[in-house]
Amino acid sequence: MTNAGATAQAIAPRLKLSTQYGLLGALLIAPTVLIFCAVIVYPLVSAIYLSLFSIYTPTLKGSWVGLDNYVALLASGEFWNAFWVNVVWTVGTLVLQVVLGVALALLLHQNIVFRSLARSLILFPYFMSTVVAVLVWRWVFNDLYGILNHAMMWMGLMSVPLDWIGSMPNAMISVILVGAWKYFPFVVISVLARLQTIPDHLYEAATMDGAGWWGRFTDITLPQLREVLFIVILLRAIWDFKEFDLIYLLTGGGPVTATQTLPLLVYKHAFALNEMGGASAVAVLMMLFMLGFMLLYFRYGRATES
Amino acid sequence: MTKVTFERVHKAFGAFVALEELDLAIRSGEFVSLLGPSGCGKTTTLRMLAGLEQPTRGTISVGDRVVNELPPAERDLAMVFQSYALYPHMTVAQNIEYPLRKRGVARAVRREQVLRAAAQLQLEALLDRKPRQLSGGQQQRVALGRALVRNPAAFLLDEPLSNLDAKLRAHMRAELIELHQRIGKTMIYVTHDQLEAMTMSDRIAVLDQGRLQQFDTPLEIYNRPVSLFVAGFIGTPAMNLVKGTLKADGNRLVFDAGGLSLELPPALVRRDVLREGGIAVVLGVRPEDVLLATDGERATVKVVEPTGHESIVFFDLMDHTVVGRVGPDVRLAAGEPVGLTLNAAKLHVFAAEDGRRLNADLQPPATQAAPSLVA
Ligand SMILES: Nc1ncnc2c1ncn2[C@@H]1O[C@H](COP(=O)(O)OP(=O)(O)OP(=O)(O)O)[C@@H](O)[C@H]1O
Ligand SMILES: [Mg+2]
């Protein structure tokens, strides 16, 4: 600090002390600002810029079209379908992740046998590479030789094999299930970490005050989990909303466009239809949705904190 | 009203015995302290009574009801936790209201009772605050309020004052005594602070390593400790304890410890404990029973600790360090030679082997000659 202060003084010997400190501050945050600009602002600005052109992907050459890309998108059924699919997927998988994650965290918080083993095993899906996980699930879901059909028919739950990936609503259900399976461990570890810090005496006090197990859950556990759930849901919602590889690998957006979310639509515009401008426009719109969603969430978050 | 009884209550955590065959009969409306060093089983005792812990064996009764199998909520007891255990996301009013809400009391009644409890504890101005916006003493009052509002049969308090500073502690001590006098409910108070126990309790149960040592009034425990442990634990500064041998020599009773030889009042100990050739004992004298006397035995002053209203003085008496307390007007300096006598009416004798009290003094003689100190 003193060194940097001396440097600042050498650079601007005649400036007032407050100005010197201002310069020093600017100097110190400059690297962060530069990196931030390089990795966030530049791509963002260029995406917005690209979305105003009609561009052929292989050559990246094209002409200015203004807002035409947006107009076309907002008027197209495909875009709104993708948006709706995206919402269904995000809400569906998020709800499952949170319910499953909280339930398992509660279970793992109990003194059950093999608790530490179970705690490590639960992380398995989260650590597994998406490609591997999806390949395994495709095998499980396969309509001809998949173990799921086989098991369910063996148990007498159904009489004919189901097409889990190639028909609706099975495909959406499958995607949601696999997404929940893959990402619920994140909820488990976050919630479990918080559960372990809730003091026992709160539960004991509630017990003496006459609360049963459900009362203790709603009056102690849930309020104590509120902050961590807020963060977890926020993060998972963002990540699920822009999820690409899991869905692309599992269904490719099909059947037809039944599981085609916005990120898949971006991909389709960019590399199947070879129009980078349209793809950028989808990406920018997607970002706007998420921005609105986040603002809403932050306002809610601030309100609940105070 | 409600008496609380422990009968042969035993508690083991695995192989570790936390509480051994506890028998304790607490009378209705009594203020009883559980006193003992850290880890002696005070909290365990309270938690078993509350129902948060199951005794390994033995019966616990509240009133005339055996509560062993009753869930905590049905025992009609309220507990104030050492850490207060206030619900952090609820306001003061909601905290106090909670036990009523869980018992299905109607909203209007709840409101009224919360206000009454808040008024009793001067919490009215704080009702809308969250616990973290309160000072330690205020939190403690809220915890008390949450217990009060239920109007339970008995209160269990686990070191409720231990988190407070000395001044607030003295203040809350007085408030608790006043509260007990006002509502007259049975209160069981856990503490490891002997001053709290002595000043607040009707009776004190002194525990050590899971064993009940003595259960009696504060004065009785102070004046007639039944064991070496109780003698050493109660009182500040601690009782002087000198190891030596006690011998009956005809009609005389002689205590020998290194260079120190004292003739004790012949009726001090029970005759049946004495053996030919003497027995190993520990002689106990409270600091206030170590008296300055010009004709007493020679000793030197080692350290003087003035506290303002008195001075604690460490004497060197025949290579034994003896603590005494003298009035504020007595000026003593380190190295100064003085004469000492011991108040013969207040001597305590304990068996060295098991620490039990050997005095024959269920009714000690009012006055007795000071023992002569013979070099
Ligand atoms: N759940 C438990 N499992 C094993 N040992 C325990 C358990 N609870 C208490 N103990 C042991 O039992 C003994 C008594 O504990 P307790 O909490 O009753 O002590 P305490 O007298 O309240 O002490 P403190 O003054 O430190 O609060 C201690 O040695 C403690 O280690
Ligand atoms: Mg304790």
Side-chain angles (χ1 to χ4, degrees):
Chain A
M1 201 63 193
T2 27
N3 272 345
T7 321
Q9 205 148 8
I11 293 169
R14 283 176 307 277
L15 292 178
K16 272 198 307 184
L17 195 62
S18 58
T19 322
Q20 285 180 29
Y21 274 119
L23 280 175
L24 175 66
L27 203 72
L28 290 176
I29 61 164
T32 316
V33 172
L34 285 179
I35 294 174
F36 183 78
C37 288
V39 302
I40 296 182
V41 177
Y42 171 73
L44 192 70
V45 171
S46 61
I48 296 171
Y49 179 73
L50 284 176
S51 70
L52 304 176
F53 286 81
S54 168
I55 298 177
Y56 183 56
T57 306
T59 59
L60 280 183
K61 293 220 164 56
S63 53
W64 171 268
V65 292
L67 292 176
D68 283 4
N69 283 331
Y70 291 97
V71 174
L73 272 179
L74 293 176
S76 81
E78 189 177 38
F79 175 80
W80 288 112
N81 173 64
F83 175 73
W84 175 242
V85 168
N86 213 344
V87 169
V88 170
W89 140 259
T90 304
V91 171
T93 197
L94 187 62
V95 168
L96 263 186
Q97 281 168 29
V98 170
V99 171
L100 210 67
V102 171
L104 255 120
L106 288 172
L107 187 67
L108 288 181
H109 188 53
Q110 306 298 313
N111 280 316
I112 54 168
V113 280
F114 301 130
R115 179 167 66 165
S116 46
L117 181 71
R119 279 184 188 174
S120 337
L121 281 181
I122 215 98
L123 291 175
F124 188 64
Y126 196 62
F127 289 151
M128 200 191 236
S129 126
T130 307
V131 180
V132 178
V134 169
L135 283 178
V136 171
W137 276 104
R138 285 183 70 106
W139 176 73
V140 168
F141 284 141
N142 192 287
D143 50 342
L144 295 181
Y145 48 82
I147 192 165
L148 185 62
N149 276 337
H150 184 77
M152 288 182 82
M153 281 166 67
W154 181 78
M155 285 188 293
L157 291 177
M158 50 190 212
S159 49
V160 284
L162 268 180
D163 185 357
W164 288 103
I165 297 176
S167 71
M168 280 300 277
N170 299 359
M172 180 54 93
I173 292 172
S174 299
V175 174
I176 285 176
L177 280 178
V178 175
W181 171 84
K182 180 101 178 67
Y183 296 117
F184 85 94
F186 178 81
V187 183
V188 174
I189 40 171
S190 315
V191 170
L192 192 57
R194 182 67 184 92
L195 278 178
Q196 282 162 349
T197 65
I198 304 178
D200 276 343
H201 57 235
L202 288 185
Y203 291 107
E204 292 175 348
T207 308
M208 294 207 64
D209 284 344
W213 70 268
W214 179 248
R216 291 197 292 275
F217 177 69
T218 53
D219 295 337
I220 310 287
T221 311
L222 271 190
Q224 292 282 309
L225 288 182
R226 202 180 58 182
E227 273 133 48
V228 73
L229 279 181
F230 171 74
I231 298 293
V232 163
I233 289 174
L234 177 65
L235 288 176
R236 283 287 0 138
I238 294 171
W239 292 337
D240 288 336
F241 195 81
K242 63 192 184 64
E243 178 71 38
F244 173 76
D245 43 4
L246 190 142
I247 303 172
Y248 184 75
L249 291 166
L250 196 62
T251 65
V256 198
T257 58
T259 57
Q260 190 176 66
T261 55
L262 290 170
L264 268 72
L265 191 63
V266 175
Y267 180 85
K268 181 177 167 185
H269 274 276
F271 302 109
L273 305 178
N274 278 331
E275 42 169 63
M276 198 51 116
S280 299
V282 179
V284 169
L285 286 175
M286 203 175 119
M287 199 195 68
L288 286 181
F289 289 136
M290 286 169 70
L291 207 66
F293 169 75
M294 268 172 61
L295 286 180
L296 211 82
Y297 226 109
F298 273 124
R299 177 169 305 167
Y300 169 77
R302 200 157 313 140
T304 52
E305 260 166 45
S306 58
Chain B
M1 295 295 274
T2 317
K3 56 183 201 258
V4 171
T5 322
F6 289 80
E7 272 170 286
R8 303 184 63 83
V9 171
H10 191 87
K11 177 68 184 178
F13 293 104
F16 177 79
V17 176
L19 209 63
E20 216 173 290
E21 303 290 328
L22 176 70
D23 279 303
L24 202 60
I26 295 165
R27 292 192 280 262
S28 180
E30 207 172 14
F31 193 118
V32 167
S33 290
L34 302 180
L35 176 67
S38 191
C40 69
K42 307 179 294 286
T43 299
T44 307
T45 307
L46 212 59
R47 288 171 57 85
M48 287 194 297
L49 176 56
L52 300 172
E53 204 89 67
Q54 273 298 313
T56 310
R57 55 174 184 270
T59 48
I60 302 174
S61 330
V62 175
D64 295 320
R65 213 162 44 140
V66 173
V67 295
N68 282 42
E69 303 303 325
L70 281 186
E74 289 170 31
R75 296 190 181 195
D76 200 16
L77 302 168
M79 182 146 162
V80 176
F81 290 78
Q82 176 166 357
S83 50
Y84 309 143
L86 300 179
Y87 308 122
H89 52 281
M90 298 184 197
T91 63
V92 168
Q94 286 166 338
N95 261 284
I96 299 178
E97 185 187 28
Y98 188 75
L100 298 178
R101 190 149 63 84
K102 286 293 130 177
R103 283 174 167 72
V105 177
R107 180 180 294 267
V109 182
R110 269 174 5 214
R111 182 94 204 123
E112 180 205 332
Q113 291 186 348
V114 167
L115 287 177
R116 179 147 18 105
Q120 273 186 339
L121 296 162
Q122 288 126 50
L123 287 169
E124 294 108 318
L126 308 173
L127 282 176
D128 292 325
R129 295 222 201 144
K130 292 275 175 69
R132 68 184 138 77
Q133 299 166 312
L134 301 177
S135 73
Q138 291 167 338
Q139 290 186 22
Q140 204 247 336
R141 293 213 297 269
V142 177
L144 267 174
R146 193 172 62 186
L148 264 180
V149 76
R150 273 174 47 192
N151 194 21
F155 290 90
L156 319 182
L157 305 109
D158 192 357
E159 311 207 23
L161 307 187
S162 62
N163 293 342
L164 308 183
D165 64 49
K167 193 162 167 236
L168 193 53
R169 200 188 264 224
H171 174 71
M172 289 308 300
R173 212 160 60 205
E175 286 202 355
L176 269 176
I177 298 174
E178 200 261 333
L179 181 73
H180 177 246
Q181 285 165 354
R182 186 145 41 88
I183 62 177
K185 286 283 168 78
T186 310
M187 289 195 178
I188 304 174
Y189 185 93
V190 164
T191 180
H192 59 249
D193 181 336
Q194 47 151 320
L195 185 67
E196 272 176 23
M198 295 292 285
T199 50
M200 300 170 78
S201 321
D202 295 323
R203 285 194 292 169
I204 302 175
V206 184
L207 288 165
D208 182 38
Q209 294 179 16
R211 267 186 295 265
L212 179 65
Q213 302 285 318
Q214 189 167 6
F215 182 37
D216 221 322
T217 60
L219 278 184
E220 194 62 20
I221 284 180
Y222 189 79
N223 291 328
R224 267 186 291 272
V226 297
S227 70
L228 201 52
F229 171 81
V230 178
F233 191 72
I234 304 279
T236 355
M239 183 188 279
N240 294 293
L241 297 168
V242 184
K243 276 200 188 109
T245 27
L246 191 65
K247 221 182 294 184
D249 184 5
N251 231 359
R252 303 190 315 148
L253 193 61
V254 181
F255 174 77
D256 278 302
L260 184 68
S261 183
L262 307 179
E263 186 175 340
L264 306 183
L268 185 64
V269 298
R270 298 199 299 275
R271 282 286 146 178
D272 58 312
V273 301
L274 292 170
R275 300 272 172 280
E276 195 65 36
I279 50 165
V281 297
V282 176
L283 182 70
V285 192
R286 294 231 178 258
E288 59 269 33
D289 297 322
V290 174
L291 309 169
L292 290 171
T294 40
D295 57 341
E297 193 46 45
R298 254 170 287 144
T300 36
V301 174
K302 275 168 55 176
V303 178
V304 183
E305 294 178 347
T307 64
H309 68 289
E310 64 175 12
S311 291
I312 308 297
V313 187
F314 293 79
F315 300 102
D316 183 28
L317 174 68
M318 295 290 159
D319 294 332
H320 298 282
T321 299
V322 173
V323 184
R325 45 181 15 141
V326 299
D329 302 328
V330 182
R331 302 252 172 258
L332 291 173
E336 192 177 330
V338 290
L340 291 183
T341 62
L342 308 179
N343 181 356
K346 297 278 187 71
L347 293 176
H348 308 267
V349 184
F350 304 98
E353 51 169 354
D354 57 4
R356 101 201 109 93
R357 183 179 182 82
L358 300 178
N359 289 49
D361 65 347
L362 286 174
Q363 293 299 325
T367 49
Q368 220 160 20
S372 58
L373 291 157
V374 189

